[in-house]
Amino acid sequence: MATYHVTTFGCQMNEHDSERMKGMLESLGYEEAPARPDADLILFNTCSIREKADERFIAHLQEARAIKRRRADVVVGVGGCWAQSVKDEVFRQFPFVDVAFGPGQVHKLAEFLTSDSITAQGFFEFEGFTGHLPEKRTREFQAWLQISVGCNCVCAYCIVPSTRGREVSRPAGELVAEVERMAADGVREVTLLGQNVNSYGRDLPRDERVTFAQLLARVDAVEGIERIRYTSPHPKDIREDVARAHAELAAVCEHVHLPLQSGSSPILRAMRRTYDRDRYLGKVALIREHVPDCALTTDVIVGFPGETEDDFRQTLDVVDQVGFDGAFTFLYSPRRGTEAAELPGQVPHEVKVERLQRLVDVVQERARERAQRFVGRRLDVLVEGPSRTDAARLRGRTRHNKVVNFTGLAAPGEIVPVQIAAATSQTLSGEESLVARAAAA
Ligand code: 5AD
Ligand code: SF4
């Protein structure tokens, strides 16, 4: 039997797309190879969001070339955002690549593999949702739901609108049917995915139009779905209905990832984020008004062109004021074809690095403080498997999306009460409450 190996870079949408690639390959009769050198088909699902992502991927691609030198019949495929951003150039730069495709063309991989074609081929027009392909889930109890693709925002730093195109939503009825199938299959947690999830539905025909908050309610109503998450929303589209959904719908988790990017209004304007510092803080207040204990996480970019020390202090100040439960922090990285790459006032690398360090210190200090509110509480944890640091313990997540390492007897996929004993900025630790478990049984 022919075998494949997929390496995934980038965001959750890419993880989702890779699960669909795997599902599609298995329906063609391929089997997953344990390691790259054993595979007949070596695939990369790439990311282009920052320069580092490009560099990491190219090192892996060189390894594939070495394998192909030893076994000439190996097929090398490159999909995803990096492939989309360079298109056919990929074959000039890397002549050993056999097939390349963008995020909207994953299904063409099947066409390529089942044709007799021996020449390299590239596919880059958006044609279909990967969500329509068969899936192969990493964990049987957790699933991704691709609600839309593409993005209509024009954030000055971001390459995604050019790699994933204009926003297209999938009809709500189709999504609900998919979630019903998932639930029947044992899925307990779904994560709704889109580049900008909360603008979902605006492109649908008027008579089929469903808002993001309405979609949350329809997914919440599916029997068996106990946790709903989504990523990523845009702060501009967080309205009262979404905040209320977190408060009123039992399965919607108490966590919002709300990308800040910068705390300085002039920088936010230059980034074309369409909100300023006060409006962002207003959205945080709105969420906390409805769900006081809601976990908030964010993304922050340091060193956007023109960012002064004063702008950066505004960012530190917002991060300190909000008190995020966690944050992804990035050095600004100029991307080809984006507006910001051409802006004057590019910030020197050393300045970016120094700012990042200061930012990380504030993020961690606040996250550590925030996490203390969980100590002494008994929280429901969805068990994911053994702890990464100590195989004798278990690892799972709370509804607030906090990772918990704990001792207990539960099996992956179970939701069990855990008594929280300690908290760091990143993780909680505790013990499964066997008394509560016995009482529930
Ligand atoms: N440079 C640095 N970070 C970026 N991001 C997006 N584009 C860039 C860039 N050019 C970050 C944003 C986004 C996250 C997924 O990646 O913070 O929210
Ligand atoms: Fe990377 Fe963005 Fe593409 Fe996701 S959508 S793979 S983060 S470039």
Side-chain angles (χ1 to χ4, degrees):
M1 194 183 282
T3 59
Y4 68 87
H5 185 268
V6 182
T7 311
T8 310
F9 301 89
C11 62
Q12 283 110 327
M13 188 64 92
N14 261 21
E15 284 178 39
H16 163 269
D17 290 354
S18 289
E19 288 189 353
R20 299 295 169 145
M21 278 180 208
K22 291 179 184 184
M24 184 181 78
L25 291 169
E26 301 212 345
S27 72
L28 292 177
Y30 280 76
E31 198 173 87
E32 189 160 10
R36 195 181 289 155
D38 309 323
D40 303 308
L41 169 64
I42 298 177
L43 279 179
F44 297 95
N45 195 9
T46 61
C47 171
S48 199
I49 195 91
R50 287 169 294 273
E51 215 172 332
K52 269 258 154 47
D54 288 12
E55 287 165 6
R56 275 184 54 211
F57 154 63
I58 285 166
H60 282 262
L61 192 55
Q62 303 300 359
E63 229 181 274
R65 175 170 61 184
I67 295 169
K68 198 164 170 156
R69 277 211 189 109
R70 294 194 299 273
R71 289 170 48 220
D73 56 339
V74 167
V75 174
V76 176
V78 180
C81 290
W82 178 84
Q84 183 71 34
S85 73
V86 299
K87 298 211 174 115
D88 288 320
E89 239 180 80
V90 62
F91 301 115
R92 249 173 288 137
Q93 273 189 48
F94 306 99
F96 56 96
V97 170
D98 299 288
V99 57
F101 49 96
Q105 284 271 312
V106 173
H107 56 288
K108 288 282 186 174
L109 174 64
E111 214 172 277
F112 175 84
L113 292 171
T114 49
S115 75
D116 303 324
S117 168
I118 40 157
T119 48
Q121 282 186 52
F123 306 97
F124 304 105
E125 289 307 309
F126 172 75
E127 257 183 10
F129 298 103
T130 39
H132 290 158
L133 299 170
E135 69 192 320
K136 187 194 181 197
R137 287 193 294 277
T138 308
R139 296 196 188 96
E140 64 207 24
F141 50 91
Q142 287 172 326
W144 307 113
L145 179 70
Q146 183 184 47
I147 66 167
S148 61
V149 297
C151 183
N152 292 355
C153 297
V154 286
C155 301
Y157 49 80
C158 189
I159 197 168
V160 174
S162 76
T163 60
R164 293 206 180 238
R166 302 278 300 168
E167 188 170 303
V168 191
S169 303
R170 290 174 64 193
E174 179 184 312
L175 293 172
V176 172
E178 188 170 330
V179 175
E180 281 165 351
R181 271 197 308 277
M182 288 170 172
D185 225 24
V187 169
R188 307 183 80 178
E189 177 178 278
V190 274
T191 302
L192 279 51
L193 289 179
Q195 254 63 52
N196 179 6
V197 276
N198 49 352
S199 68
Y200 168 81
R202 291 186 196 156
D203 58 305
L204 291 173
R206 197 167 280 279
D207 54 333
E208 280 181 41
R209 206 165 292 166
V210 167
T211 65
F212 179 62
Q214 287 165 340
L215 179 66
L216 286 175
R218 290 183 58 179
V219 175
D220 182 79
V222 175
E223 192 76 35
I225 298 299
E226 287 165 83
R227 290 184 173 192
I228 301 172
R229 306 186 183 281
Y230 57 83
T231 198
S232 276
H234 193 300
K236 76 176 166 64
D237 296 318
I238 290 280
R239 310 252 163 83
E240 179 148 15
D241 57 350
V242 177
R244 289 177 72 121
H246 280 270
E248 291 166 5
L249 301 173
V252 177
C253 289
E254 293 77 16
H255 169 224
V256 181
H257 182 72
L258 198 64
L260 168 67
Q261 313 302 3
S262 168
S264 150
S265 294
I267 294 296
L268 286 167
R269 194 172 329 116
M271 286 177 164
R272 299 194 188 279
R273 289 292 285 172
T274 73
Y275 55 84
D276 61 9
R277 170 197 172 91
D278 288 344
R279 275 194 64 195
Y280 183 89
L281 290 171
K283 302 289 179 178
V284 170
L286 175 71
I287 295 166
R288 287 189 169 154
E289 177 194 327
H290 290 276
V291 189
D293 187 36
C294 197
L296 287 174
T297 55
T298 199
D299 293 340
V300 183
I301 300 175
V302 300
F304 185 82
E307 183 187 77
T308 62
E309 171 63 22
D310 189 54
D311 290 316
F312 173 65
R313 286 203 187 140
Q314 300 269 327
T315 298
L316 288 182
D317 187 58
V318 172
V319 168
D320 185 48
Q321 256 190 64
V322 172
F324 291 103
D325 295 83
F328 297 106
T329 52
F330 306 107
L331 298 176
Y332 167 71
S333 165
R335 305 281 56 209
R336 57 188 156 259
T338 60
E339 185 188 352
E342 309 299 322
L343 288 176
Q346 299 285 331
V347 176
H349 184 71
E350 320 75 74
V351 177
K352 288 186 200 167
V353 171
E354 187 255 351
R355 285 180 188 166
L356 189 79
Q357 193 49 56
R358 285 157 67 198
L359 174 64
V360 168
D361 289 345
V362 178
V363 163
Q364 288 190 345
E365 189 189 322
R366 296 293 277 124
R368 194 178 312 112
E369 284 166 20
R370 290 274 298 159
Q372 303 313 311
R373 76 188 188 283
F374 298 123
V375 175
R377 280 163 67 178
R378 192 199 277 162
L379 301 174
D380 283 345
V381 172
L382 174 56
V383 185
E384 293 183 345
S387 157
R388 287 182 191 162
T389 47
D390 176 358
R393 304 184 84 206
L394 295 167
R395 174 194 155 98
R397 269 170 209 273
T398 67
R399 290 175 58 96
H400 294 86
N401 208 31
K402 277 281 179 191
V403 170
V404 187
N405 292 305
F406 65 103
T407 44
L409 303 171
E414 277 192 272
I415 296 178
V416 294
V418 173
Q419 188 68 33
I420 306 298
T424 67
S425 61
Q426 302 279 344
T427 56
L428 305 178
S429 68
E431 206 171 308
E432 184 182 343
S433 172
L434 297 172
V435 182
R437 192 180 165 87

